[in-house]
Structure formats: C-alpha cells, structure tokens
Amino acid sequence: MEEQAPKFAVILSGCGVFDGSEIHEAVCTMLAIEQSGCTYQCFAPNTWQARTIDHFTGHAVAIAGDEDNRNVLAESARIARGNVKDIAEFKAKDYDAIVFPGGFGAALNWSDFAVKGAECDVNVEIRRALEESYKEGIVIGAMCIAPVVVAKVLGKEGIHLTIGNDKKVAAGLAKMGAVAEEKRATEVCVDAEHKIVTTPCYMLATSLPEIYDATRNLVDEMLELMDY
C-alpha cells in the first residue's frame, strides 16, 4: 500500500505582519508543504484582533471593541484564499503536523505576549490545539515570534526553541520554562525529544529568499521527525 502523504495544519493569526500572520512566512510555509508532496489545511481562531494596523502608515486604526476592528478568522481567509476553518474544529488526530507562521498576531491575537511578556495568556483554542498536538505526538513547528506561544503552553516540558538571538525574548522563553537556542535566520532548532521544530525567519531575515529557505528547512526537518 502506498504511503499516505503527511497532512499539516497551518495556523494563522490574521493577515499582515503588524497585526496578524506574516504573509511571506505563511505563504512560503504552504509552498514548502506542497513542494514536499504533502497537504495542508489552514485554521485560525474566530476572535477579534487585538488591534488593526494600517500597514501603509504603521498606525493603529482600530482596537479591540471598535466596530471597525477586524476578525482574525476572516482576515486569515485572505491568505488562505477562503479555505480556512475555525480552529475550534481542529483535531490533532487528523493531522501529522501543526505549524505556526509568525507575525505580530502571535503576540497579539493568539496571546497577549506583546503586552504581558512571560506572564501572558493564550487564546483558549490555540492552547487546546497545542496541548492536544503534543499529547497526540504530532510534530509542532513555529517560526519568527510564534515560538513564544509554544513556550507558554509547553515550556513546562523543558522544550528547546529558537527565536534567533533576541536576548529579551529569550529571557521570556526561559521564564516560561523553555530553553532558547541561538540560530541564524534560515537555521532550525530541532527538539527531537518533544517533536518541536522552530526557525527565526523575520526575527533575523532581511529578504524573501531567506524566508523561503527558512520555511523549507523547517518543513524538511518536520518531515524528518515523521520519518517521511
């Protein structure tokens, strides 16, 4: 019988680096998955963004509670071309891997790390998805600032992660129980024991080719942990 290709869950946090998912990281992740002969399904929490940023001016145009603020699931649909599901529907047993592209939405919409640091809270469905994925033993991937959310939920397990070489963020990871490893933009940190793979991406990268290489390397290492 032919081996079935692994299926990834790609978790989004909106659309745009300053208030949602980093688009280059998200799209390159999906490209790397497809180029590997695998499939993916996008998910996002059905909640309001912490704030909405005008990406041209860099200024906030709405905050939580404003009528013209935006919904994380609806904004994520822009990247997924409409093919995105509420993360409340995610079941780890249906997937071989779960991956979290970066972007400030990780620290604003999946969690409030941007405000509270290591004392942050995590969206209940994001927490459930991570805990369930860890329990089921599927491979977990995260890039850019997204590893802080993984650290908050799973740091007590003594996991190893990378966010590049940012000392302040690394200190936050340590407070949450995780071990921060310094890596260059396209390098990956592989925690084989806990089946977690991370890469700095735009924490250090300065070009789209670097993002492609980083996401490609991350997906390759995730597949290695699946023996695929």
Side-chain angles (χ1 to χ4, degrees):
M1 182 179 295
E2 185 176 350
E3 183 179 8
Q4 186 174 0
K7 187 173 182 180
F8 286 70
V10 178
I11 313 303
L12 302 176
S13 62
C15 182
V17 58
F18 300 129
D19 58 15
S21 289
E22 208 302 311
I23 296 171
H24 295 171
E25 292 175 1
V27 173
C28 285
T29 297
M30 291 185 277
L31 176 60
I33 292 169
E34 285 203 26
Q35 287 181 329
S36 298
C38 304
T39 61
Y40 66 85
Q41 173 63 55
C42 293
F43 292 89
N46 186 9
T47 187
W48 295 104
Q49 294 185 174
R51 66 190 188 200
T52 294
I53 302 296
D54 181 327
H55 279 61
F56 181 67
T57 65
H59 300 311
V61 294
I63 59 174
D66 289 352
E67 288 186 4
D68 54 351
N69 196 25
R70 299 188 181 188
N71 178 276
V72 175
L73 181 59
E75 289 300 291
S76 297
R78 293 175 179 270
I79 296 176
R81 294 174 60 86
N83 185 18
V84 62
K85 295 181 178 180
D86 187 332
I87 197 169
E89 299 180 42
F90 170 78
K91 293 180 175 59
K93 64 181 179 61
D94 295 334
Y95 293 87
D96 302 285
I98 184 170
V99 60
F100 297 81
F104 226 57
L108 289 169
N109 303 328
W110 291 341
S111 73
D112 54 5
F113 182 86
V115 178
K116 297 181 180 178
E119 303 304 315
C120 66
D121 295 311
V122 176
N123 173 278
V124 63
E125 289 295 345
I126 293 293
R127 175 178 288 277
R128 180 192 64 80
L130 277 165
E131 290 176 341
E132 188 178 306
S133 296
Y134 185 76
K135 183 178 179 180
E136 288 286 334
I138 71 172
V139 182
I140 298 169
M143 60 200 71
C144 194
I145 195 65
V148 301
V149 181
V150 181
K152 182 63 180 180
V153 177
L154 301 175
K156 60 184 179 294
E157 306 292 341
I159 60 177
H160 285 239
L161 303 166
T162 188
I163 39 77
N165 58 12
D166 188 304
K167 302 298 184 185
K168 184 176 180 180
V169 179
L173 293 177
K175 287 182 180 178
M176 294 185 282
V179 178
E181 296 187 6
E182 289 195 12
K183 298 289 183 181
R184 292 190 291 270
T186 63
E187 292 181 326
V188 293
C189 172
V190 180
D191 184 337
E193 178 184 355
H194 299 103
K195 291 189 174 182
I196 296 173
V197 184
T198 50
T199 185
C201 276
Y202 270 128
M203 292 293 283
L204 293 174
T206 58
S207 69
L208 184 55
E210 283 185 304
I211 298 305
Y212 174 77
D213 288 344
T215 54
R216 174 81 260 179
N217 293 340
L218 178 122
V219 169
D220 285 348
E221 291 294 345
M222 292 179 75
L223 291 170
E224 282 287 328
L225 290 180
M226 299 176 214
D227 296 322
Y228 180 74

